[in-house]
Amino acid sequence: MVKKEKLLVAGVLFIAVLFFGLLAVFLGQDANWDLRNYHYYNAYAFLNDRYALDLLPSQMPYFYNPLIDVPFFYLSLALSAKQTAFALGAVQGINFVLLFFIAFSVLAIKNNLHKAVVSFLIAFLGMIGSGSLAQLGTVFGDNITSIGVFLSLLLVVRYYKLLYQSSVFHAVVFSMLFALPAGMAFGLKLPSVIYAVGLCFGLLFAGYTPSALRKNERLRCRKSLKYSRYSCETCSSHSSHFCLVSQFYIRSKRRFLVSFTFGIGVLIGAAITFAHWGIFLYHNFDSPLFPYFNNIFQSSFAPLSSARDTQFIPKSASDFFLMPFLFTIEPLRVGEIPWRDFRIVIFYALFLLVLFCKFFKKCKSTHRNITLPFQANYVLAVFAISYIAWLFLFSIYRYAVPIEMIAGLLIVIVVDFLPLKKIAKLSLIGVLFIVVCASIIPGNWDRRSSWLERVVEIEFDSSSSQLFASPLNTVVLMAGWEPYSHVIPLFPKETAFVRIQSNFSLPDKPHGINEILHDRIQNHKNLNGRFYSLIPEHQLDVMEEALSNFNLALDRSSCSNVIDKLFNNSVLVLCGLKIM
């Protein structure tokens, strides 16, 4: 591009990032279940070292790496709710920039300005998907970790020659460097492992093939590939087959090396963002991934199971094969909220058509004139592998948001495989993009109809003043399965919060974590400490039942209301407790 074109593109991309910040504000304040359950509290606990004071307020996610939520928590302290949403949406808008440059690197359009326009459209389509819009301005993190995934992808498609045509040393170094962003994303949110797997193994399938090395039945051997003692300047026609086999062996070893060292880079990146937390979990709960995969680590603090959410994973071979069609018809097959978006099923159907044509040779090969071979092959391989990993491990649509984001480019790539003329391919892509746009109905993970001044606000009754007057030596017990740990940062810092019943612990079950709960409460009794309970108003009976396991009971005469303004002014009841 000339300098003016580059400045124009840079300006448009900057405006786009701001646009997605404004769009996050327009969509409304985030009040989703996970925010109220753990995203806000976990960051607060991490920054204030509350792990010796509190226990399980955020239920099972109490054990999740809190690092990804720390920037959001800092923003919420410094800015208003609207400003925080704008900043979060703008950061998530970085995905647009990365999608733009990925598309720009994959497309084979010669006119750079025209290529920029098409790349802009592909990136914009990626940002307005049903899952992407549902998460814009929210704290789920799938469109935050996607930044690391897309950055690693962009580095490979733009600088792949450093991996395949440089010396072995440089290939090793750059493959590990390119992997770091995806590895760091993996460490921040473990379900991102599916994309790390795709990026790593995609390098095995997208390297140069022997047919790409052949030219007029003569093969020029590259001295830069130092995996074979065999070398030559030019192979004569009678020895071309030998050269072909030799170079295939050389290239296969290079692909394996690059893929292997990329995997090492992923692990290094994951260690940067997760090692501190893995060490904490291992030191306190005897497992670096606690409570997950406890069938392997066998910590005594949790049941000996994998603890993964498998409710959405397909149960039959036909479900596995037809899943994109199934969740397009019924979105609740892969999540808790309704939405609609046709892009993934369109890509999947086209991909199956291309495989059918290639395998059964039913369609004549055609020149790929829209995308560049290596770049397109790699992007396709990455997300095909990632999709398969997603299907087997989770089948939760939230975790597939990066696939949704890049599905527009994937459609372009598979259309380019079809035996059509260029104008027919472009026309088909245009029609499919229109169909995708018309199909979009975003999901909604609970957004407020009006904005609060701050991200989290609560209102106390005057009768709550006793707790604030002497918060030391006080434990507030929580119970039930509702999410409300987000209110804890607004209570006195000296007060401990312990959840005696949750989606991870039941007080009448013989697991190690419940023994800790019983010991914690008994020790507080021995110190003549004060007990309170905090629970949503409609679950007071649940609290009574849970307290009976600890010989405690509600003192209903002391109860006061705490208004949770984030969650539609719902009422939490704060009660004193008495020992039975």
Side-chain angles (χ1 to χ4, degrees), residues 337-355:
I337 61 171
W339 53 273
R340 191 181 72 188
D341 200 305
F342 290 172
R343 71 188 68 202
I344 291 181
V345 73
I346 288 174
F347 158 69
Y348 187 69
L350 289 170
F351 184 71
L352 293 179
L353 177 60
V354 168
L355 289 181

Side-chain angles (χ1 to χ4, degrees), residues 354-395:
V354 168
L355 289 181
F356 178 85
C357 287
K358 294 289 185 182
F359 186 78
F360 292 101
K361 300 179 181 179
K362 295 293 184 181
C363 50
K364 297 179 181 178
S365 60
T366 183
H367 179 62
R368 292 169 61 184
N369 43 27
I370 300 178
T371 59
L372 299 172
F374 171 80
Q375 291 87 334
N377 291 346
Y378 182 62
V379 172
L380 188 59
V382 166
F383 288 96
I385 295 169
S386 298
Y387 167 77
I388 294 171
W390 170 83
L391 198 60
F392 277 90
L393 290 176
F394 308 112
S395 291

Side-chain angles (χ1 to χ4, degrees), residues 152-379:
S152 286
L153 179 66
L154 176 61
L155 291 170
V156 173
V157 296
R158 282 184 70 90
Y159 303 109
Y160 70 97
K161 291 183 179 180
L162 294 173
L163 305 180
Y164 291 102
Q165 295 183 3
S166 63
S167 67
V168 172
F169 174 78
H170 286 97
V172 167
V173 170
F174 283 111
S175 63
M176 288 194 290
L177 289 176
F178 292 174
L180 288 179
M184 293 173 69
F186 169 32
L188 288 174
K189 186 166 184 176
L190 297 184
S192 297
V193 66
I194 60 176
Y195 301 105
V197 170
L199 288 162
C200 180
F201 287 97
L203 292 165
L204 285 175
F205 298 101
Y208 294 122
T209 61
S211 59
L213 296 172
R214 187 192 297 271
K215 185 177 181 181
N216 296 327
E217 296 298 324
R218 299 168 69 86
L219 193 65
R220 188 174 299 277
C221 302
R222 297 184 181 275
K223 292 183 177 181
S224 61
L225 300 176
K226 300 179 179 179
Y227 275 100
S228 174
R229 295 179 181 177
Y230 175 80
S231 63
C232 58
E233 283 300 319
T234 305
C235 297
S236 60
S237 58
H238 69 271
S239 63
S240 61
H241 179 71
F242 175 72
C243 254
L244 189 64
V245 172
S246 176
Q247 284 296 311
F248 176 73
Y249 174 72
I250 293 170
R251 292 292 182 181
S252 297
K253 294 191 72 172
R254 172 58 67 100
R255 287 200 299 271
F256 176 81
L257 174 73
V258 169
S259 178
F260 180 77
T261 53
F262 190 96
I264 294 175
V266 165
L267 295 178
I268 294 172
I272 292 172
T273 52
F274 185 78
H276 74 287
W277 190 246
I279 292 170
F280 168 81
L281 291 178
Y282 183 78
H283 178 74
N284 291 278
F285 303 102
D286 299 333
S287 169
L289 298 177
F290 188 85
Y292 292 102
F293 302 106
N294 202 42
N295 53 331
I296 298 174
F297 294 102
Q298 299 191 353
S299 167
S300 62
F301 297 105
L304 301 180
S305 65
S306 69
R308 292 191 301 115
D309 184 355
T310 59
Q311 61 178 311
F312 300 110
I313 293 177
K315 302 300 188 294
S316 67
S318 61
D319 282 358
F320 272 103
F321 183 73
L322 298 174
M323 181 53 74
F325 300 99
L326 297 176
F327 69 62
T328 300
I329 297 171
E330 182 46 71
L332 296 181
R333 290 289 297 264
V334 289
E336 301 91 350
I337 61 171
W339 53 273
R340 191 181 72 188
D341 200 305
F342 290 172
R343 71 188 68 202
I344 291 181
V345 73
I346 288 174
F347 158 69
Y348 187 69
L350 289 170
F351 184 71
L352 293 179
L353 177 60
V354 168
L355 289 181
F356 178 85
C357 287
K358 294 289 185 182
F359 186 78
F360 292 101
K361 300 179 181 179
K362 295 293 184 181
C363 50
K364 297 179 181 178
S365 60
T366 183
H367 179 62
R368 292 169 61 184
N369 43 27
I370 300 178
T371 59
L372 299 172
F374 171 80
Q375 291 87 334
N377 291 346
Y378 182 62
V379 172

Side-chain angles (χ1 to χ4, degrees), residues 63-79:
F63 305 105
Y64 292 1
N65 186 357
L67 195 59
I68 191 173
D69 296 312
V70 168
F72 170 76
F73 186 80
Y74 272 130
L75 286 173
S76 72
L77 297 180
L79 304 175

Side-chain angles (χ1 to χ4, degrees), residues 446-459:
D446 287 334
R447 294 182 189 262
R448 286 181 51 84
S449 58
S450 60
W451 285 84
L452 299 174
E453 176 60 30
R454 313 297 292 189
V455 169
V456 174
E457 293 181 8
I458 58 177
E459 183 179 306

